[in-house]
Amino acid sequence: MNLREREAAVRHILDRRPPPVPPELCADAVRRGGRILRRRTTARHVMWLVLLAAVVAFTVWASMTHPWVEPPSTTTPPVTGW
């Protein structure tokens, strides 16, 4: 198919009358769109709650264990210079 034939085929497709749209299509799309938005909102709220719980758990763990403090030595240093 050369360029002129493709252009003619595209023009023929565009000149045709568009197919009829079912009348309930808009209502179905609005219902599905609302459901998707509610799911996204719920998922976003759950993710924020999980993040908040993780921050609280980390804060409690850090305040209990003090990970920034060096742990005490479990062995005595070698004695030299006696």
Side-chain angles (χ1 to χ4, degrees):
M1 207 178 215
N2 64 18
L3 180 62
R4 291 181 195 265
E5 291 174 351
R6 283 186 279 175
E7 287 178 356
V10 168
R11 284 192 185 103
H12 177 68
I13 291 171
L14 292 175
D15 287 341
R16 289 190 301 184
R17 187 169 170 246
V21 178
E24 69 275 355
L25 183 65
C26 181
D28 290 343
V30 169
R31 190 181 71 246
R32 289 179 184 165
R35 187 182 317 143
I36 289 172
L37 286 176
R38 283 190 303 275
R39 284 182 184 172
R40 284 183 184 172
T41 303
T42 303
R44 191 177 311 121
H45 288 157
V46 168
M47 288 183 353
W48 277 111
L49 285 173
V50 168
L51 179 65
L52 178 67
V55 167
V56 169
F58 175 77
T59 305
V60 169
W61 170 78
S63 67
M64 299 293 284
T65 61
H66 301 286
W68 54 88
V69 176
E70 185 176 335
S73 177
T74 57
T75 61
T76 58
V79 178
T80 58
W82 259 46

